[in-house]
Amino acid sequence: MTSKFNENILKALSTTEEALKICKEAMEDANDETCRAMYAAMIKDCEKHVQMLKGEIDLHKVQKKWDDNKK
């Protein structure tokens, strides 16, 4: 594992959470069913990715591979 693991995964988590926020806001402004369906699918994917990233962080903490000092 590289020394940038914390930084990389936290950046991925932050970016994914921002994408989720944007998609939720865009869903409110969507003007037709195809747009709403697209944003709904993207929201579902983003939520899944957020959970995956958080799960990976939790796993690495249990395995003592996560450096809390670099958060």
Side-chain angles (χ1 to χ4, degrees):
M1 178 172 17
T2 69
S3 61
K4 291 183 68 174
F5 175 80
N6 284 24
E7 182 182 334
N8 292 338
I9 201 164
L10 290 173
K11 188 184 299 183
L13 179 59
S14 175
T15 302
T16 304
E17 288 174 332
E18 180 65 18
L20 178 59
K21 179 182 170 206
I22 291 167
C23 287
K24 286 181 176 181
E25 291 170 356
M27 177 89 128
E28 293 178 16
D29 294 330
N31 61 0
D32 63 44
E33 280 306 309
T34 40
C35 283
R36 281 188 281 282
M38 176 192 66
Y39 287 121
M42 292 174 70
I43 288 167
K44 186 176 177 181
D45 287 345
C46 286
E47 289 172 340
K48 179 182 174 185
H49 295 155
V50 166
Q51 289 308 309
M52 289 170 63
L53 289 160
K54 288 181 176 181
E56 189 68 14
I57 291 169
D58 291 342
L59 177 63
H60 280 265
K61 285 180 178 181
V62 168
Q63 295 173 338
K64 307 291 188 217
K65 294 179 181 178
W66 185 264
D67 184 357
D68 282 318
N69 296 324
K70 293 185 179 182
K71 289 200 304 188

